[in-house]
């Protein structure tokens, strides 16, 4: 059996390149704190998420299939809002 790795696997990250993602399952009301995540992409794979960013007067609510690119550089809070649990995917952007 053969498998191939993308060329980016062997090269050092360049500015603007998306790095490998991480998935986190959150229970209802569970918080995930992310530091210095400006430019990261947050995707809601299952359930509902509530995202709080410093400097914004409102929170962003994401439902399954939606995503957002974070604009704040401070502490980001992501809360699972679904009774069945929520699955969030975080993708870091190399700056």
């Amino acid at each position: 059996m053969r498998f191939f790795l993308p060329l980016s696997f062997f090269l050092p990250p360049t500015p603007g390149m998306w790095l490998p993602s991480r998935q986190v399952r959150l229970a209802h009301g569970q918080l995930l704190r992310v530091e210095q995540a400006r430019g990261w992409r947050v995707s809601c794979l299952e359930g509902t998420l509530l995202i709080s960013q410093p400097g914004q007067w409102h929170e962003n609510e994401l439902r399954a299939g939606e995503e957002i690119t974070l604009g704040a550089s401070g502490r980001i809070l992501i809360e699972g809002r679904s009774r069945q649990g929520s699955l969030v995917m975080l993708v870091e952007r190399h700056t």
Side-chain angles (χ1 to χ4, degrees), residues 36-51:
Q36 303 301 320
R38 183 183 187 108
W40 286 29
R41 186 172 53 204
V42 177
S43 300
C44 181
L45 303 178
E46 296 175 9
T48 305
L49 301 170
L50 197 61
I51 301 173

Side-chain angles (χ1 to χ4, degrees), residues 50-64:
L50 197 61
I51 301 173
S52 299
Q53 300 184 61
Q56 290 191 358
W57 59 272
H58 67 284
E59 295 174 324
N60 298 99
E61 184 177 69
L62 297 182
R63 299 183 192 287

Side-chain angles (χ1 to χ4, degrees), residues 14-87:
T14 57
M17 176 184 233
W18 292 104
L19 300 176
S21 63
R22 293 175 282 264
Q23 292 184 7
V24 179
R25 182 162 299 278
L26 298 173
H28 177 72
Q30 185 178 8
L31 291 174
L32 173 65
R33 183 177 72 187
V34 183
E35 301 284 343
Q36 303 301 320
R38 183 183 187 108
W40 286 29
R41 186 172 53 204
V42 177
S43 300
C44 181
L45 303 178
E46 296 175 9
T48 305
L49 301 170
L50 197 61
I51 301 173
S52 299
Q53 300 184 61
Q56 290 191 358
W57 59 272
H58 67 284
E59 295 174 324
N60 298 99
E61 184 177 69
L62 297 182
R63 299 183 192 287
E66 296 179 337
E67 66 181 31
I68 188 172
T69 300
L70 300 175
S73 61
R75 178 179 296 160
I76 310 295
L77 293 177
I78 303 172
E79 181 181 359
R81 299 294 292 163
S82 180
R83 295 268 180 222
Q84 299 84 9
S86 301
L87 183 61

